[in-house]
Amino acid sequence: MAKPGKPVHVVPHDDGWAVRREGNERASSVHGTQAEAERQGRTAARASETEFYLHNRLGQIRARDSYGNDPNPPKDKD
């Protein structure tokens, strides 16, 4: 299995909303709306099998999803 990529964050940006990989200074892409940035960010996180973080206007994490190897998967119901 390939090593997962860096987590993806959707954060506020001067020109709207940015999709940024964790640890990178520059944005991967910039979008006019949070919804557009969220779609792009989730697509990138799925492709890299990594974590996705959606931030609010204050920079706080408001939602997160894991598209990689989940260390605590849900238990199967019998």
Side-chain angles (χ1 to χ4, degrees):
M1 185 165 94
K3 181 180 173 185
K6 292 180 183 178
V8 177
H9 295 258
V10 170
V11 296
H13 187 273
D14 291 341
D15 296 327
W17 292 88
V19 176
R20 181 175 291 149
R21 293 277 179 170
E22 195 167 287
N24 291 359
E25 291 183 26
R26 293 181 52 177
S28 301
S29 59
V30 177
H31 304 270
T33 67
Q34 187 182 43
E36 292 169 352
E38 181 179 359
R39 277 192 295 277
Q40 179 63 37
R42 287 184 185 277
T43 299
R46 281 187 197 103
S48 296
E49 296 181 351
T50 192
E51 301 291 316
F52 171 79
Y53 298 93
L54 180 64
H55 296 255
N56 64 19
R57 290 195 180 277
L58 300 175
Q60 300 165 321
I61 296 171
R62 68 171 233 195
R64 74 179 276 186
D65 282 304
S66 177
Y67 296 106
N69 184 18
D70 190 351
N72 298 310
K75 294 182 180 178
D76 292 332
K77 293 182 181 180
D78 292 333

